[in-house]
Amino acid sequence: MFKRILGIGACDEKGVLGKNGTLPWYYPEDLKHFQSIIGDTPLVMGRKTFLSMPRHYFTKRVSIIFTHSPHQFDPSPNLIFVTSLAEFLSLEQQFNELYVIGGAQIYNLFLKENLIQEFILTKIKKSYEGDVFFPLSLLSDWPRLKEDETDSFSIYRYLKPSKIAYADKNA
Ligand SMILES: NC(=O)c1ccc[n+]([C@@H]2O[C@H](COP(=O)([O-])OP(=O)(O)OC[C@H]3O[C@@H](n4cnc5c(N)ncnc54)[C@H](OP(=O)(O)O)[C@@H]3O)[C@@H](O)[C@H]2O)c1
């Protein structure tokens, strides 16, 4: 197992994450928060998220990108392309901590496989139209702490329920 896999993302109350391959909103304060949390930590993402992000995110850290067609990309020392979860898991010796940054397909994959220990989720207060959604139901059992709130959004840290807490709840 990887030592620490964390998730980070932002969605509105209904789970809207993105529209037409990009973010439906622009909240500089949340972007600042995102950058301060990820620091130089290696990132994990899907091919669509990779293509949607500014290139500066990929210069000073390693990123792991999921795609079934890795040969469409030029090789780069900072980019690792993986074609399956098994290939991703084979990298475990190389990383202590990773941030899973989306999009919807990759959040779904990692949460369903129970691979994420904590998820930092910004909940945007305004509603947006979108075509990709965060799987909010997969976090519904996770205890959460509110870390910050502004007029536009709240930031929560969701903690994966421990097996003991789960056993108590279902006793
Ligand atoms: N609000 C937020 O915090 C946030 C965060 C991230 C992204 N977004 C938004 O979300 C949208 C993108 O999300 P998305 O769900 O459409 O795409 P995505 O998860 O970023 O990428 C999907 C791609 O990942 C690859 N992939 C997925 N599962 C795989 C597997 N098991 N093995 C190998 N490759 C796999 C496939 O690439 P190939 O097609 O190349 O095979 C697939 O097309 C954009 O609108 C983006 O702006 C929002």
Side-chain angles (χ1 to χ4, degrees), residues 8 28-38 120 122 147-148 153 155:
I8 186 165
E29 276 180 83
D30 188 49
L31 281 178
K32 229 183 265 172
H33 165 260
F34 173 74
Q35 290 178 4
S36 76
I37 293 284
I38 61 171
I120 299 166
T122 297
E147 300 229 306
D148 200 2
F153 56 78
I155 298 175

Side-chain angles (χ1 to χ4, degrees), residues 40-55:
D40 292 342
T41 306
L43 304 176
V44 181
M45 72 204 80
R47 189 256 309 164
K48 292 183 184 176
T49 295
F50 171 64
L51 292 178
S52 77
M53 291 179 64
R55 295 301 93 182

Side-chain angles (χ1 to χ4, degrees), residues 9-10 13 17 19-20 29-30 36 43 57 59 80 87 96-97 100 105 108 117 134 140 144:
E13 289 297 327
L17 266 181
K19 190 178 177 192
N20 298 332
E29 276 180 83
D30 188 49
S36 76
L43 304 176
Y57 280 102
T59 53
I80 300 174
E87 194 178 340
N96 282 331
E97 186 169 80
V100 175
Q105 290 187 34
N108 263 295
Q117 277 103 53
F134 186 86
S140 62
R144 68 179 192 182

Side-chain angles (χ1 to χ4, degrees), residues 71-138:
H71 301 300
Q72 66 188 297
F73 297 102
D74 292 334
S76 154
N78 281 345
L79 303 178
I80 300 174
F81 295 96
V82 295
T83 58
S84 65
L85 189 60
E87 194 178 340
F88 167 80
L89 292 172
S90 74
L91 302 173
E92 76 173 297
Q93 303 296 336
Q94 295 179 42
F95 299 98
N96 282 331
E97 186 169 80
L98 294 166
Y99 273 102
V100 175
I101 64 159
Q105 290 187 34
I106 298 305
Y107 290 143
N108 263 295
L109 178 67
F110 276 73
L111 286 168
K112 283 185 177 153
E113 293 292 333
N114 218 14
L115 287 168
I116 292 184
Q117 277 103 53
E118 287 184 22
F119 205 106
I120 299 166
L121 187 61
T122 297
K123 286 271 191 76
I124 308 283
K125 293 179 182 176
K126 195 173 151 194
S127 290
Y128 288 85
E129 285 193 8
D131 51 21
V132 283
F133 290 82
F134 186 86
L136 286 170
S137 62
L138 297 178

Side-chain angles (χ1 to χ4, degrees), residues 50-67:
F50 171 64
L51 292 178
S52 77
M53 291 179 64
R55 295 301 93 182
H56 70 78
Y57 280 102
F58 305 107
T59 53
K60 62 177 180 183
R61 64 166 70 73
V62 173
S63 295
I64 303 172
I65 296 129
F66 276 78
T67 175

